[in-house]
Amino acid sequence: MGETITFWVLAVVSVGAALGVVFNRKAVYSALMLGTVMLCLAVLYAVQEAPFLAAVQIIVYTGAVMMLFLFTLMLVGVDTSDSLVETLRGQRFWAIIAGIGFAGLIVLALGNAVFSSQAGLAAATAQGGYIRSIALLLFTKYVFAFEVTSALLITAALAAMVLAHRERVAKKATQKDLSKARFLGDRPTPLPGPGTYARNNAVDMPALLPDGSVSEESVNPYIARYDVEQDRLPKDPKFAEAIRQRAEEESE
Amino acid sequence: MTTNYLILSGLLFSIGAVGVLIRRNAIVVFMCIELMLNACNLAFVTFARQVGNLEGQIVAFFVMVVAAAEVVVGLAIIVTIFRTRRSASVDDANLLKY
Amino acid sequence: MDPVEIIQHTTGGVIGLSWLMIAFPLVGATILLVFNRYTNRWGHLLGVAMSLASFVVAVLAFVELLGLPEAQRRQAVHLWEFIPGMVDMGLLIDPLSIAFALLITGVGSLIHIYSIGYMSHDPDRRRFFAYLNLFVAAMLLLVLADNYVGLFIGWEGVGLASYLLIGFWQFKPSAAVAAKKAFVVNRVGDFGLLVGMFLIWTTFGTLAFAELKPITAENPTTLAIGLLLLLGACGKSAQLPLQSWLLDAMEGPTPVSALIHAATMVTAGVYLVVRSGAFFFPEGSGAALAVAVVGAATLLAGAIIGCAKDDIKKGLAGSTMSQIGYMMLGAGLGPVGYAFAIGHLITHGFFKADLFLGAGSVMHGMNDEVNMRKYGGLRTYMPVTFATFFIGYLAIIGFPLLSGYFTKEGIIETAVHAQPILGWLAVAGAGITGFYMSRMVFMTFFGEKRWEKDAHPHESPTVMTVPLIVLSIGSVFLGGYLILSNRLMDWLAPAVGAPAARPEFHFTSTTGLATLALVAVGAAFAWYKYGRAEVPAVQPRGSFLTTFARRDLYGDAINESLIMRPGQWLTRLAVFFDNRGIDGVVNGLAAGIGGSSGRLRRLQTGFARTYALSILFGAAILTGALLLVGNI
């Protein structure tokens, strides 16, 4: 009875969270929803006589893998790919049709299957208990796969290092080089900071130049685009126009 | 009870698959793949209990390890692509075509 | 009497080494061609030495053969297994082949020597000698091989060498065209020979002379083989209807004309017919009659062409055609004819080489002028050339007691008995020969000087005159020696068979006297036209008949309108069908595939998500299928 209640609660939560992963616009929320699903599954493992896997699930997935996801999200940041506007014609429609069809077929197949009563793991773990039985299998029958897995992990670590490594092809630019480049370019001075001479002191507020005109360059283009998309333009039409222009420049 | 677990597993898998198909952010696509792997693991654990031996759990364990390695490499690739193309959209990497 | 059996040569001796005959000139040609300009200084000497060495081997083999009893005079020398189970390469040393070998190497060596002088100013003399050696080797393989395959290889080698030699001055477009023409026309004959060989193989299962059996009665298959071999012979021997190449082939250096187009190469056809005589051309058969008819027709055609040519070499080429026609006529008359045909072939080899080399000597002294209308009165300026040329002339018109007299009379006599119509045609041909050869002599050596301004005629160097003298000696005595008391006939009997009745040579037979009278008339008419009267320096327009002869009896025109034009239309038609029909289908198919592929490839969008969608559909369909059939 307890298991049934647990199952239904967790099933509803995990399916909801899974849908959240797919349909949340923000990747960070998706990541958190995924964490929820994983935790739910960890509990379901524990309920199904797999406490070891439940622990591994929490440690590896919700711990390490989720951290990696979040870390990468922070590295990559926000960009156009987060938009939920479908660009491929018919892709979403057919994807949902196929997904529902596949799920329907699976449910149909499983619903028609007749299972005998669960055998349970009591017999399998009778000798020396659960952890010992797992260890026995892992280090005898599956020892080769286990060792290969370790090689796989090392390879993956090396691969990540190789992929993330960036070879320096040119000499590192000194301060002198940088100042030369700046004076050779079209703007020797730094960009004006936002909010300068402005009435609001915020990063999305364009600076005013000494003659009182608005400097578009003072606003970060990403922020400008965000403001346009979220409709958070300042009330002053002069500033709003500057931010809109900046956002357009960025999208070009 | 087994049927319920398996149906839950199938649903999660299908949701993950749809997510792979409709999301463009490579990281979210990756998350959906992880979702599908987890759904499989649930099925393994359920079957282990159903037939009464531990092998299903062992396989689930290996799946986790492989998934961890895969995430490492996959995310590294995403970061590399992002660094060169300034985009994490799977649709932007479409040069290999007709 | 049938030919004697061919026995396998076992003992050593020169006959066992007879392959050296071919090897010497072949090695010479190889050295000269491979080491190229490094052999420039002594290349001609090597060529002569190789040819002479070959001649020495031939003479030694001849002597050894003489020492054997008649029943053992056909010896096959096995060399190697050529095509396993089909053809063994070997040489057949018998009276016929050794007679040819002596002629080829003997006259060939004299021509080699003569060429030293004639080609002394040519920068490519070394290459010339390489080709001459190659030619001698190929011709020797042709006559010495003991099977049709070896003969065919030699046959093709001769074709190649003649192509190279006719086109030796390939910077002259006319020479290049003539070489090509000779090659192409020869191909037609080769085709006949090749198909004939196929037919021999399928009918008799062998291509070796030793294994073929003489036939007595003709059947359709042997008739077909005989006619095909005759086609081959016509190509090589410039007989009607494949005669057109010979006149153009005079573009080559004069020694080439002497060697290839007078003394040796054109005799290959006669050799083929005589060699195959017992197998496919039995006396009185249709095939033999065809040979005789072709010979008679060609001897007249050649003689008529010879009458109208102002180019001394082309006139001689016409006479070569005509004389080979006599040989073919003789070869179509059975064993008696064989002896006279071969006899005429040998004597003709001498006097025709003599005449050609004499003509070359004249040209040598006249700045390579070939137009006889620009000669005249040369007898005092080049006495040796004149004397030798005159002897050759007397021999070829059949002046009594000279070589040509005996052999030609023999052929005519035999022909008149066997095929009266052809025989009398041959008599008429002899009369025409008397006319055109006299015309040539009168225009060249007698009468007014009609030289170009810069001509300084002079006698040729000794290296050129000595071969002329040797050849003219042969032209005087050889015929009588061979024909009187049937020496050649007895010698050849083991190889080609002996006639039932031995002919006697009559000095005063009706045909003989008639021939002599006609020749005298012809010569007198020539004297009247060209000796006594003034020869116009420019060719007069001439009657219809003259034009007919000048244009080589319209041989080229006939070839062109009967073969070339229809061939061109056929190819145009084929090209049209190829472009429109076949290419249309092929291109349409390709365009269809290309077009549909162009649309199909649009499925490769480059979007991973599209591909993933198709995978999911696939998985769903598979699951559905499993549900349907697997009852899960």
Side-chain angles (χ1 to χ4, degrees):
Chain A
M1 190 62 199
E3 188 188 344
T4 313
I5 293 170
T6 319
F7 171 78
W8 283 110
V9 171
L10 291 178
V12 170
V13 171
S14 60
V15 169
L19 290 171
V21 171
V22 174
F23 293 108
N24 235 315
R25 214 190 78 152
K26 290 188 173 147
V28 179
Y29 292 170
S30 291
L32 292 177
M33 289 297 175
L34 184 63
T36 310
V37 176
M38 285 168 173
L39 283 173
C40 291
L41 289 183
V43 176
L44 285 179
Y45 293 166
V47 168
Q48 293 207 75
E49 302 179 53
F52 172 65
L53 275 187
V56 173
Q57 170 88 356
I58 288 170
I59 294 166
V60 172
Y61 267 120
T62 28
V65 172
M66 285 316 300
M67 279 309 113
L68 262 180
F69 270 120
L70 290 172
F71 206 72
T72 313
L73 275 175
M74 279 185 260
L75 272 179
V76 170
V78 183
D79 72 355
T80 48
S81 64
D82 276 340
S83 157
L84 276 181
V85 179
E86 183 54 63
T87 48
L88 300 181
R89 199 156 59 88
Q91 173 82 9
R92 179 171 293 170
F93 174 74
W94 288 110
I96 289 172
I97 291 287
I100 290 174
F102 187 72
L105 286 168
I106 293 281
V107 169
L108 191 66
L110 293 172
N112 284 342
V114 178
F115 291 104
S116 53
S117 59
Q118 287 179 341
L121 291 172
T125 57
Q127 271 188 320
Y130 173 70
I131 291 296
R132 274 176 180 272
S133 305
I134 290 263
L136 201 63
L137 265 182
L138 209 51
F139 294 119
T140 54
K141 189 175 177 184
Y142 292 101
V143 68
F144 185 68
F146 186 77
E147 293 299 332
V148 171
T149 316
S150 68
L152 176 71
L153 283 172
I154 292 171
T155 314
L158 266 176
M161 279 160 67
V162 169
L163 284 171
H165 179 67
R166 199 169 354 184
E167 198 75 38
R168 188 177 288 283
V169 287
K171 216 174 129 241
K172 189 177 180 188
T174 60
Q175 198 172 9
K176 198 173 170 187
D177 298 331
L178 291 174
S179 66
K180 271 186 188 166
R182 195 161 66 235
F183 278 91
L184 283 174
D186 49 2
R187 168 180 275 280
T189 61
L191 290 169
T196 315
Y197 297 117
R199 275 167 298 178
N200 303 42
N201 189 8
V203 284
D204 61 346
M205 196 52 64
L208 289 178
L209 295 176
D211 60 353
S213 60
V214 180
S215 168
E216 295 165 15
E217 289 167 326
S218 62
V219 183
N220 183 313
Y222 287 103
I223 294 168
R225 207 192 75 205
Y226 183 85
D227 278 358
V228 171
E229 279 182 6
Q230 302 290 325
D231 201 18
R232 289 188 183 175
L233 294 171
K235 291 196 181 82
D236 189 330
K238 212 166 50 167
F239 290 134
E241 182 55 28
I243 289 173
R244 204 172 283 126
Q245 269 190 9
R246 189 66 167 154
E248 272 169 30
E249 268 171 41
E250 199 277 331
S251 62
E252 280 163 16
Chain B
M1 208 59 214
T2 303
T3 311
N4 292 347
Y5 281 113
L6 292 179
I7 286 176
L8 173 62
S9 158
L11 282 180
L12 290 179
F13 187 90
S14 302
I15 292 168
V18 172
V20 168
L21 296 184
I22 66 174
R23 290 308 298 259
R24 273 180 298 156
N25 190 333
I27 299 167
V28 178
V29 169
F30 233 103
M31 289 178 201
C32 293
I33 291 172
E34 293 304 318
L35 189 59
M36 290 160 79
L37 286 170
N38 270 297
C40 292
N41 277 352
L42 179 60
F44 275 123
V45 171
T46 307
F47 274 118
R49 188 176 175 212
Q50 170 67 31
V51 298
N53 69 36
L54 287 169
E55 314 232 340
Q57 293 194 13
I58 301 286
V59 172
F61 173 69
F62 280 129
V63 169
M64 285 178 190
V65 179
V66 173
E70 178 218 341
V71 166
V72 169
V73 178
L75 290 179
I77 292 174
I78 289 172
V79 169
T80 313
I81 291 178
F82 183 81
R83 215 154 53 187
T84 50
R85 306 178 66 104
R86 292 278 132 204
S87 160
S89 166
V90 287
D91 285 357
D92 284 351
N94 67 348
L95 287 179
L96 194 66
K97 60 181 173 187
Y98 48 83
Chain C
M1 187 192 91
D2 278 339
V4 303
E5 289 276 317
I6 297 172
I7 56 169
Q8 199 63 35
H9 178 79
T10 45
T11 54
V14 184
I15 290 177
L17 294 174
S18 49
W19 54 271
L20 280 174
M21 256 189 272
I22 303 169
F24 276 127
L26 198 59
V27 166
T30 311
I31 291 174
L32 293 181
L33 289 176
V34 170
F35 295 99
N36 213 303
R37 63 176 193 282
Y38 299 108
T39 56
N40 268 353
R41 276 182 43 217
W42 44 268
H44 52 285
L45 298 177
L46 179 77
V48 172
M50 287 302 167
S51 180
L52 280 174
S54 189
F55 177 60
V56 168
V57 177
V59 167
L60 292 177
F62 171 64
V63 170
E64 192 169 315
L65 213 56
L66 270 179
L68 292 170
E70 251 190 33
Q72 294 176 23
R73 280 196 186 163
R74 304 193 78 190
Q75 305 236 353
V77 183
H78 181 257
L79 295 182
W80 74 84
E81 201 181 28
F82 187 33
I83 306 171
M86 192 171 161
V87 178
D88 275 354
M89 194 63 197
L91 302 181
L92 173 62
I93 307 298
D94 74 348
L96 180 63
S97 65
I98 213 73
F100 267 90
L102 283 172
L103 175 71
I104 294 160
T105 54
V107 176
S109 298
L110 289 174
I111 293 170
H112 272 74
I113 295 169
Y114 174 90
S115 303
I116 296 177
Y118 189 85
M119 301 296 284
S120 57
H121 303 303
D122 197 294
D124 274 337
R125 182 165 67 166
R126 185 255 325 148
R127 188 162 61 89
F128 183 74
F129 274 87
Y131 292 162
L132 281 187
N133 267 349
L134 178 65
F135 173 80
V136 168
M139 189 72 196
L140 283 169
L141 176 62
L142 195 163
V143 299
L144 290 176
D146 76 340
N147 58 70
Y148 279 103
V149 177
L151 181 144
F152 185 73
I153 295 170
W155 190 273
E156 292 298 315
V158 166
L160 167 70
S162 70
Y163 169 80
L164 293 170
L165 284 168
I166 296 170
F168 184 73
W169 288 321
Q170 72 273 67
F171 46 83
K172 290 201 302 191
S174 58
V177 169
K180 201 159 69 182
K181 185 175 179 184
F183 203 71
V184 171
V185 176
N186 265 294
R187 278 285 81 63
V188 180
D190 296 348
F191 167 77
L193 175 56
L194 210 50
V195 177
M197 281 164 56
F198 297 161
L199 215 50
I200 294 172
W201 172 257
T202 50
T203 313
F204 302 103
T206 179
L207 286 167
F209 299 139
E211 291 165 22
L212 285 168
K213 296 280 174 286
I215 59 167
T216 47
E218 190 174 39
N219 59 46
T221 315
T222 61
L223 178 64
I225 296 172
L227 292 179
L228 286 166
L229 294 185
L230 175 61
L231 181 64
C234 284
K236 211 48 113 197
S237 288
Q239 301 293 293
L240 289 175
L242 300 178
Q243 84 290 358
S244 61
W245 64 273
L246 185 70
L247 292 150
D248 288 0
M250 294 304 134
E251 287 293 338
T254 310
V256 172
S257 308
L259 178 63
I260 298 189
H261 306 296
T264 56
M265 170 173 164
V266 289
T267 61
V270 182
Y271 170 79
L272 179 66
V273 171
V274 173
R275 176 60 84 197
S276 314
F279 312 135
F280 306 115
F281 301 98
E283 200 171 349
S285 67
L289 181 64
V291 173
V293 168
V294 166
T298 311
L299 79 87
L300 277 180
I304 292 169
I305 291 172
C307 291
K309 291 292 176 187
D310 290 336
D311 180 328
I312 185 167
K313 284 174 69 181
K314 293 210 169 166
L316 286 173
S319 102
T320 298
M321 250 178 83
S322 173
Q323 301 302 313
I324 305 284
Y326 276 104
M327 297 171 209
M328 290 299 260
L329 174 60
L333 300 173
V336 195
Y338 293 159
F340 291 122
I342 300 298
H344 194 55
L345 193 152
I346 294 171
T347 55
H348 173 258
F350 275 84
F351 59 68
K352 184 50 65 64
D354 182 17
L355 288 169
F356 260 118
L357 296 185
S361 178
V362 172
M363 287 159 57
H364 196 66
M366 296 291 284
N367 297 339
D368 288 331
E369 178 60 61
V370 292
N371 191 346
M372 289 191 288
R373 292 184 191 276
K374 305 255 170 80
Y375 292 167
L378 287 173
R379 68 181 181 282
T380 48
Y381 292 90
M382 26 184 81
V384 180
T385 304
F386 167 66
T388 53
F389 194 94
F390 200 73
I391 291 171
Y393 152 71
L394 290 179
I396 195 173
I397 64 170
F399 195 80
L401 303 183
L402 267 67
S403 283
Y405 170 72
F406 292 102
T407 50
K408 198 192 280 183
E409 286 300 317
I411 292 175
I412 291 175
E413 191 82 21
T414 318
V416 167
H417 281 289
Q419 305 281 354
I421 300 172
L422 302 179
W424 287 107
L425 285 178
V427 172
I432 304 175
T433 309
F435 170 72
Y436 71 78
M437 283 311 296
S438 308
R439 169 179 178 268
M440 198 176 288
V441 169
F442 293 142
M443 281 176 86
T444 306
F445 294 103
F446 294 88
E448 303 275 315
K449 299 171 185 173
R450 301 178 300 273
W451 309 341
E452 293 283 338
K453 284 193 188 70
D454 56 348
H456 303 288
H458 55 85
E459 185 56 87
S460 297
T462 322
V463 73
M464 288 168 69
T465 52
V466 167
L468 285 175
I469 295 167
V470 174
L471 286 169
S472 60
I473 292 171
S475 307
V476 174
F477 299 110
L478 208 52
Y481 178 78
L482 292 177
I483 298 302
L484 291 176
S485 59
N486 290 325
R487 281 195 189 88
L488 184 67
M489 191 173 292
D490 294 341
W491 166 250
L492 289 177
V496 298
R502 288 164 66 82
E504 281 287 318
F505 193 85
H506 302 289
F507 286 95
T508 54
S509 67
T510 328
T511 46
L513 291 176
T515 311
L516 278 181
L518 270 179
V519 169
V521 169
F525 185 58
W527 169 251
Y528 168 74
K529 282 271 290 187
Y530 299 99
R532 201 178 58 100
E534 200 170 304
V535 179
V538 180
Q539 195 177 45
R541 265 197 75 215
S543 64
F544 165 73
L545 258 178
T546 321
T547 320
F548 184 52
R550 276 183 194 149
R551 301 279 303 273
D552 306 339
L553 312 184
Y554 294 115
D556 285 341
I558 291 169
N559 284 349
E560 199 170 301
S561 52
L562 278 189
I563 298 166
M564 194 189 96
R565 301 276 170 219
Q568 282 181 337
W569 281 111
L570 202 65
T571 47
R572 272 179 212 153
L573 202 68
V575 167
F576 178 79
F577 270 116
D578 194 51
N579 283 344
R580 294 295 163 83
I582 297 172
D583 280 9
V585 172
V586 172
N587 291 346
L589 201 65
I593 292 173
S596 53
S597 308
R599 284 178 185 80
L600 270 177
R601 83 198 168 109
R602 293 278 156 190
L603 289 178
Q604 292 285 322
T605 54
F607 295 115
R609 293 195 294 142
T610 316
Y611 308 154
L613 180 61
S614 57
I615 293 175
L616 184 61
F617 261 110
I621 289 168
L622 272 182
T623 314
L626 281 175
L627 273 178
L628 277 180
V629 301
N631 195 22
I632 48 173

